[in-house]
Amino acid sequence: MTCKTVATQPFSDQKPGTSGLRKLVSVFQQPHYLENFVQAIFDSIGDFKGQTLVVGGDGRFYNRQATQIILKMAAANGFGRVKVGQGGILSTPATSAVIRKYNAFGGIILSASHNPGGPDGDFGIKYNIDNGGPAPEKVTDAIYDRSKTITEYKIVDAPDINLDILGTSTLEGMTVEVIDSVIDYAALMESLFDFDRIRQLFTTGKFRMCMDSLHAVTGSYAHAIFEQRLGAPKGTVQNGVPLEDFGGGHPDPNLVYAHDLVEVMFGENAPDFGAASDGDGDRNMILGRNFFVTPSDSLAVLAANATLVPGYRNGLAGIARSMPTSQAPDRVAAKLGIDCYETPTGWKFFGNLLDAGKATLCGEESFGTGSNHIREKDGLWAVLFWLNILAVTGKSVEELMKEHWQTYGRNYYSRHDYEAIDSDRANTLITQLRDKLPTLKGQKFGSYEVEYSDDFSYTDPIDGSVSQKQGVRIGFTDGSRIVFRLSGTGTQGATLRLYVERYEADPAKHNDDPQVALGELIAIADTIAQIKSLTGMDKPTVIT
């Protein structure tokens, strides 16, 4: 084995987004492309000589090859030990848990999350810091700056490590430990939730569940936790074998892409409870029998019932939600007498609040929920939280949700995604919207009057850092909101996200179709932003 230095030239497109660097697989397969970015990480994160790095990914196409490259570069750059998931697989929440449990210096996660996989699909890489959470902007900015000037990278010339056999080996003086992908994560879940109570729920024969892992990373975790440890019948987990192309599907747990689960839960003789997770295991969708729970409502319900769960029996320090997420959790926080923080989109913004003990539960409308147990959103954690609440209350998902609305009122809420828009068209739309903001206050659109309009800016209450232009907000005098954002998680064109929200206090009006209840606001959004004309799209790609 020899350590060699390879000459290279910078790539101009390696700026990390909200969840790392995501590109088509073919982009990452270019000579030096992945190596450049990995070296830029190592050059930007400080003194890690002799320290431990955690490496894992969601198992998508190119995961194994990329893992081998990272191992050889970590050895050449001076890490003392790497813990890598068996087969190169480690879910994003499990990676965070392993970083925290073993006091690792940081971790590299290979995933494009909910984006499609396969040779023609997407790939991604991101760096997580020692608290287990995504690198903050000051770190990702430093990585990007380094990527623009890089001239060489270091790598060990050595045979590949056998990633399929548990145990340790040595690579140029660095210890490589292939670890069981599930054990540490499952133990953490058992410390938080009442597994005995949940097991009783499954073994009575009166409760059925369908867990759809979408042929993504949580298949192994779901089989081990639900079917083996908790006694759910075999077959509870569907699409549970992780595949490099996710079985040709789109591993995004929403009503459109998780269609197999939706058909089961809205079909005849539907199970009592349904859930899905995404490519890397950090997102979740919750369904009851013929009933969909929005992610915003899910966060609110978990917060309202948190003391029923062992890990949260002492109550919550606070709640944090991303700005586009509905204000349903705010109402729970107000009743509990705790703070509810509004942050930009991106889990990294929750990290400081969690580390400072300001928040216990966090959530995003994009099907991400989590807590202070790690520093990532966590799909299976959310599913177990719901199961624990159902086991204690004996109520159905629909009963629990409707009782919540009776107590707190209902925040009608919907997100419309316009995907793969021409980037110039999308930027024109947002630019024109921003230009209109100073003129909107006081204007009336149908039965709504604009109370405020701005481009959301966030000052971190812990470190004072400022993040600007985080989403265009238009608020109305009755508390309703319209929010527009361009997403940073896609790899082709641009995705426009429209968020629409209206509060309804009257229980007699809690059973409307959200698209009907929000119909006038949706039309107003198109009037103000000219969505159809500027995107060239008659309707959204996905509605949730």
Side-chain angles (χ1 to χ4, degrees):
M1 290 186 290
T2 58
C3 180
K4 62 181 182 179
T5 300
V6 179
T8 188
Q9 293 181 333
F11 292 88
S12 62
D13 62 346
Q14 294 195 328
K15 182 175 177 59
T18 54
S19 297
L21 182 67
R22 293 183 186 173
K23 303 287 180 182
L24 290 169
V25 169
S26 57
V27 173
F28 273 99
Q29 288 177 319
Q30 296 176 90
H32 309 307
Y33 193 90
L34 174 65
E35 291 89 342
N36 275 24
F37 192 74
V38 172
Q39 190 65 55
I41 293 174
F42 293 159
D43 289 349
S44 306
I45 57 177
D47 184 11
F48 50 76
K49 301 298 183 184
Q51 297 288 324
T52 297
L53 179 72
V54 179
V55 177
D58 60 16
R60 66 178 57 231
F61 187 84
Y62 196 56
N63 189 98
R64 280 181 174 264
Q65 298 93 319
T67 300
Q68 297 289 353
I69 289 169
I70 292 167
L71 293 177
K72 294 170 186 177
M73 291 186 67
N77 279 273
F79 275 97
R81 175 182 291 266
V82 172
K83 289 179 176 286
V84 58
Q86 188 175 20
I89 291 179
L90 204 59
S91 75
T92 290
T95 303
S96 182
V98 171
I99 291 171
R100 293 172 64 80
K101 180 174 181 178
Y102 297 101
N103 298 310
F105 187 89
I108 291 179
I109 298 175
L110 299 171
S111 173
S113 188
H114 54 291
N115 294 11
D120 299 320
D122 297 337
F123 193 75
I125 177 172
K126 71 171 182 174
Y127 178 69
N128 280 32
I129 60 175
D130 58 356
N131 73 348
E137 286 186 320
K138 63 181 179 181
V139 176
T140 56
D141 287 346
I143 293 169
Y144 178 48
D145 288 342
R146 179 62 182 137
S147 77
K148 293 186 289 186
T149 62
I150 194 166
T151 59
E152 61 184 30
Y153 61 84
K154 297 176 183 177
I155 190 167
V156 170
D157 187 3
D160 287 352
I161 295 291
N162 189 333
L163 297 175
D164 296 315
I165 299 178
L166 299 177
T168 60
S169 57
T170 302
L171 190 61
E172 192 67 19
M174 182 185 77
T175 299
V176 178
E177 182 182 1
V178 179
I179 63 172
D180 185 292
S181 304
V182 177
I183 286 179
D184 289 324
Y185 176 81
L188 178 58
M189 294 302 101
E190 192 161 8
S191 74
L192 295 172
F193 300 108
D194 189 340
F195 271 31
D196 290 338
R197 197 76 176 259
I198 299 172
R199 190 178 294 109
Q200 291 173 9
L201 188 68
F202 283 122
T203 54
T204 59
K206 298 178 181 179
F207 181 88
R208 292 184 299 126
M209 168 184 173
C210 182
M211 174 71 210
D212 192 342
S213 288
L214 299 177
H215 287 303
V217 75
T218 60
S220 304
Y221 297 82
H223 281 299
I225 294 173
F226 298 124
E227 294 184 355
Q228 296 172 22
R229 296 200 181 199
L230 292 174
K234 286 187 177 181
T236 294
V237 179
Q238 68 176 26
N239 299 323
V241 177
L243 299 174
E244 287 191 336
D245 66 349
F246 307 118
H250 192 148
D252 194 350
N254 60 44
L255 294 171
V256 174
Y257 295 128
H259 45 78
D260 288 355
L261 177 66
V262 173
E263 287 179 10
V264 169
M265 296 305 300
F266 284 82
E268 293 184 11
N269 193 30
D272 302 277
F273 182 73
S277 57
D278 70 329
D280 66 332
D282 63 356
R283 298 179 186 228
N284 72 93
M285 178 171 69
I286 301 298
L287 298 170
R289 184 183 291 123
N290 296 301
F291 196 88
F292 167 63
V293 180
T294 72
S296 301
D297 277 342
S298 181
L299 174 61
V301 167
L302 299 187
N305 294 278
T307 55
L308 300 179
V309 175
Y312 308 93
R313 64 165 58 94
N314 294 326
L316 308 176
I319 304 171
R321 63 166 178 83
S322 65
M323 180 273 289
T325 300
S326 99
Q327 297 168 101
D330 303 45
R331 302 182 185 282
V332 176
K335 186 165 185 176
L336 294 176
I338 58 177
D339 290 327
C340 186
Y341 298 89
E342 184 179 46
T343 75
T345 296
W347 206 260
K348 58 191 174 186
F349 292 102
F350 294 139
N352 280 352
L353 295 170
L354 294 169
D355 286 347
K358 298 290 188 182
T360 306
L361 298 188
C362 303
E364 297 182 330
E365 49 70 36
S366 53
F367 295 86
T369 329
S371 85
N372 59 351
H373 70 292
I374 57 173
R375 293 299 181 268
E376 289 277 6
K377 46 187 175 279
D378 191 344
L380 292 187
W381 167 92
V383 176
L384 286 164
F385 209 130
W386 268 92
L387 286 170
N388 204 148
I389 293 171
L390 295 175
V392 172
T393 63
K395 296 172 182 174
S396 70
V397 172
E398 183 175 359
E399 287 170 340
L400 198 66
M401 197 69 255
K402 289 188 172 179
E403 287 184 15
H404 182 91
W405 290 336
Q406 285 185 339
T407 301
Y408 297 96
R410 180 174 183 180
N411 284 72
Y412 278 105
Y413 180 85
S414 186
R415 184 179 101 184
H416 291 195
D417 289 0
Y418 296 82
E419 297 179 349
I421 306 168
D422 176 80
S423 295
D424 289 340
R425 284 174 173 252
N427 289 325
T428 296
L429 185 150
I430 290 295
T431 299
Q432 292 185 3
L433 257 180
R434 286 176 174 146
D435 291 342
K436 290 179 182 178
L437 292 179
T439 68
L440 291 176
K441 184 175 181 179
Q443 285 195 42
K444 292 185 177 180
F445 297 88
S447 54
Y448 292 87
E449 180 180 343
V450 177
E451 182 175 12
Y452 67 89
S453 54
D454 63 13
D455 202 341
F456 181 58
S457 177
Y458 177 71
T459 300
D460 191 293
I462 310 303
D463 64 17
S465 61
V466 178
S467 300
Q468 297 179 329
K469 294 186 175 181
Q470 295 296 314
V472 172
R473 304 187 299 179
I474 300 173
F476 300 92
T477 52
D478 70 337
S480 299
R481 296 192 307 161
I482 297 172
V483 176
F484 303 86
R485 282 185 63 250
L486 293 184
S487 170
T489 60
T491 60
Q492 299 180 57
T495 295
L496 172 69
R497 301 201 199 284
L498 164 67
Y499 312 86
V500 188
E501 176 178 15
R502 179 175 72 80
Y503 177 69
E504 179 56 68
D506 185 355
K509 299 178 180 179
H510 285 171
N511 296 314
D512 293 345
D513 182 319
Q515 303 310 310
V516 175
L518 298 167
E520 186 178 359
L521 284 168
I522 293 168
I524 291 170
D526 184 62
T527 298
I528 294 175
Q530 296 295 297
I531 297 173
K532 292 178 182 177
S533 61
L534 289 174
T535 65
M537 300 176 67
D538 291 332
K539 61 182 181 180
T541 312
V542 179
I543 295 176
T544 48

